[in-house]
Amino acid sequence: MNESFKILKRFALTCLLCLCFVAMLCGGALVQSNTRRLSLGTPGQQVGFLADRQTVTLQSGGRTVRLPALGTALYWARLAPAPLGLLITIGQAVREAVAP
């Protein structure tokens, strides 16, 4: 039992390290692409995100999109089919238990 737990821990750690390595490479590629684009004089695009209790606002370039708050959307997402709805409900219960 103890040996299988060690193997499971090593597997989880290896997966986490691989995920971090891939994310680091992808982030570096995006930074390189954005830096090259900005240094060549190509106009960039600015993106913004603002959230409060009633709305979530996304701004991209000159366009603004207002969406309902995430809490309301998650409330209705609990009615999704079995695995997804259950995961959302469990996540909300954990968040409410942890939040002060």
Side-chain angles (χ1 to χ4, degrees), residues 18-31:
C18 288
L19 181 66
C20 291
F21 183 71
V22 169
M24 185 178 63
L25 289 178
C26 290
L30 287 174
V31 166

Side-chain angles (χ1 to χ4, degrees), residues 2-97:
N2 195 14
E3 187 66 32
S4 63
F5 189 66
K6 282 184 180 180
I7 292 172
L8 184 62
K9 285 188 346 184
R10 288 179 185 166
F11 176 74
L13 183 62
T14 305
C15 289
L16 185 62
L17 289 174
C18 288
L19 181 66
C20 291
F21 183 71
V22 169
M24 185 178 63
L25 289 178
C26 290
L30 287 174
V31 166
Q32 177 66 19
S33 172
N34 287 340
T35 304
R36 185 180 305 130
R37 188 175 299 146
L38 290 175
S39 66
L40 293 176
T42 307
Q45 185 173 11
Q46 196 170 27
V47 178
F49 174 79
L50 176 68
D52 59 12
R53 290 183 186 248
Q54 282 91 21
T55 60
V56 174
T57 305
L58 302 172
Q59 298 171 342
S60 175
R63 298 182 311 176
T64 301
V65 178
R66 295 182 192 273
L67 303 170
L70 187 60
T72 307
L74 284 177
Y75 175 77
W76 291 106
R78 293 187 316 174
L79 303 175
L84 182 62
L86 178 65
L87 291 175
I88 291 171
T89 304
I90 290 171
Q92 285 180 333
V94 169
R95 185 187 68 186
E96 289 172 1

